[in-house]
Amino acid sequence: MREIKFWRAFQEGLSEEMRRDPAILYFGEDAGGNVGGPFALAKGLQDEFGEKRVYDTPDSEAGYVGLAIGLAATGYRPVVDISFMDFTLVAIDQIVNMAAKLRYMSGGAPKALPLVIHTMAGGGRRAGAQHSQSLEAWFAHIPGLKVIAPSNPHDLKGALKSALRDDNPVIVMKHKAILGMKGEVPEGEFTVPLGKAFVKREGTDATIVAVSHMVNVSLQAAAKLQEEGISVEIVDPLSLSPLDRETIVASVRKTGRLVTVHEAWSPCGMGAEIGAVVFEECFDFLQAPLVRVASSFNPFPYSPGMEDFTIPGVPRIVEGVRKVLES
């Protein structure tokens, strides 16, 4: 099977869906022309689909997310590019109080609100406190929104296509560190379902449930632990809301131990939610307390050394697994 990069998987999925469905529009800051947005994810899109379907917006996230909500309510399927996840906070009233709730406050009219907001999250690029955050838990907390965080090119393309066909607002969170990551992606039509978790590596001694790029780092940690004879199962939720509780619980019932790994901060993060699910549904199967691995609780620094200290890496994940095995 061919291999393509993460960014290319996004472009392919988006372009294929825009050819299939003329109701899909794409816009954001610098989205049109030869730029294609700060990460060039839409480069060339306007050349193929024209200025009426792909266009730039003013530097106003609240304004163009509001525009997208109106378009979604009137039969279009807009895709909004908010370049950095940090800037979703500028539009949070539109996302949380309008996109997520409009149908619930209006007697079910409109019947659908098909809106995709895609955004880049995560650190590692020395971009500082306002361009490095992972805020997935903020949105996974809100009923009416779906939140996905693919960890590889295959899942990104397939889940993006599912998001573009979904009748609900979907936030697609992508990690900057894996834009150049290569992975196998089929050339033919396929989708990856929303709300389904995936076991990326089978194991018997402990379960790691990791989010976004931390799935890849956890796989490296699991390979290192295997050299010591420790067998770790890796579960990638992919969809953070809705969360596939069954797959997570089934894995923990098998291994009896849980480590959660994400780049967002630990307090009130997805690790806390996943831990609560496990405590509620398979407490009697646990052989040790939950271990959470996350970024240190400080704003992301510019300093390379301090940022590397902040973000979880293989050594901290290995340490987390050893801790859960020693309990």
Side-chain angles (χ1 to χ4, degrees):
M1 188 183 298
R2 65 168 183 159
E3 288 191 345
I4 62 173
K5 292 184 177 180
F6 195 80
W7 65 266
R8 184 60 184 163
F10 177 85
Q11 282 192 342
E12 275 195 3
L14 177 61
S15 299
E16 289 174 10
E17 289 302 296
M18 290 188 73
R19 292 182 198 116
R20 185 188 63 81
D21 187 349
I24 297 177
L25 312 176
Y26 185 96
F27 49 89
E29 295 161 27
D30 294 325
N34 293 322
V35 180
F39 295 93
L41 292 174
K43 189 173 184 178
L45 208 63
Q46 192 178 64
D47 294 337
E48 178 175 356
F49 298 102
E51 295 181 353
K52 290 185 177 180
R53 293 186 66 190
V54 180
Y55 43 90
D56 298 339
T57 63
D59 187 5
S60 173
E61 287 81 2
Y64 63 76
V65 171
L67 169 65
I69 294 169
L71 288 165
T74 52
Y76 291 94
R77 290 183 174 271
V79 181
V80 174
D81 178 359
I82 297 183
S83 52
F84 292 86
M85 195 169 202
D86 315 74
F87 302 158
T88 57
L89 304 186
V90 181
I92 199 163
D93 182 58
Q94 293 285 6
I95 297 170
V96 170
N97 281 329
M98 293 303 296
K101 299 181 176 69
L102 183 61
R103 288 170 297 161
Y104 299 92
M105 299 189 302
S106 56
K111 293 182 179 179
L113 202 74
L115 161 64
V116 169
I117 298 173
H118 82 89
T119 187
M120 303 299 298
R125 295 172 66 104
R126 319 317 187 195
Q130 297 171 322
H131 293 74
S132 305
Q133 298 171 98
S134 297
L135 303 174
E136 65 274 13
W138 291 46
F139 298 105
H141 177 69
I142 303 300
L145 297 177
K146 294 185 178 181
V147 183
I148 63 173
S151 64
N152 60 75
H154 173 276
D155 291 354
L156 172 61
K157 181 176 178 179
L160 175 66
K161 290 167 79 75
S162 293
L164 291 167
R165 299 175 188 186
D166 201 281
D167 285 340
N168 300 281
V170 182
I171 294 178
V172 180
M173 168 182 152
K174 308 178 301 302
H175 198 292
K176 305 179 196 78
I178 53 176
L179 277 173
M181 173 189 182
K182 275 189 171 183
E184 292 186 345
V185 179
E187 294 189 58
E189 168 69 13
F190 76 99
T191 60
V192 173
L194 308 186
K196 172 65 179 170
F198 298 91
V199 176
K200 296 297 186 182
R201 177 190 176 106
E202 294 192 355
T204 55
D205 296 329
T207 295
I208 290 178
V209 182
V211 174
S212 184
H213 176 42
M214 283 297 128
V215 173
N216 305 309
V217 183
S218 296
L219 286 167
Q220 296 174 35
K224 185 174 180 60
L225 287 161
Q226 188 65 56
E227 295 173 1
E228 304 173 15
I230 298 172
S231 173
V232 178
E233 183 148 303
I234 307 289
V235 177
D236 179 357
L238 197 161
S239 175
L240 306 179
S241 182
L243 185 67
D244 179 0
R245 301 163 68 105
E246 290 76 14
T247 298
I248 293 170
V249 168
S251 178
V252 175
R253 284 186 174 184
K254 181 172 76 170
T255 66
R257 294 178 170 85
L258 172 64
V259 177
T260 62
V261 184
H262 53 62
E263 195 174 304
W265 299 294
S266 182
C268 303
M270 286 304 302
E273 173 62 20
I274 291 163
V277 167
V278 167
F279 287 161
E280 288 170 352
E281 300 196 15
C282 61
F283 179 80
D284 291 341
F285 289 82
L286 285 174
Q287 300 178 37
L290 157 72
V291 171
R292 288 185 287 171
V293 177
S295 286
S296 56
F297 196 47
N298 51 265
F300 276 64
Y302 282 111
S303 161
M306 290 303 296
E307 188 179 36
D308 290 344
F309 172 83
T310 296
I311 299 172
V314 170
R316 282 171 59 187
I317 298 170
V318 167
E319 180 185 354
V321 173
R322 287 178 178 151
K323 182 178 179 181
V324 82
L325 290 172
E326 292 167 357
S327 297

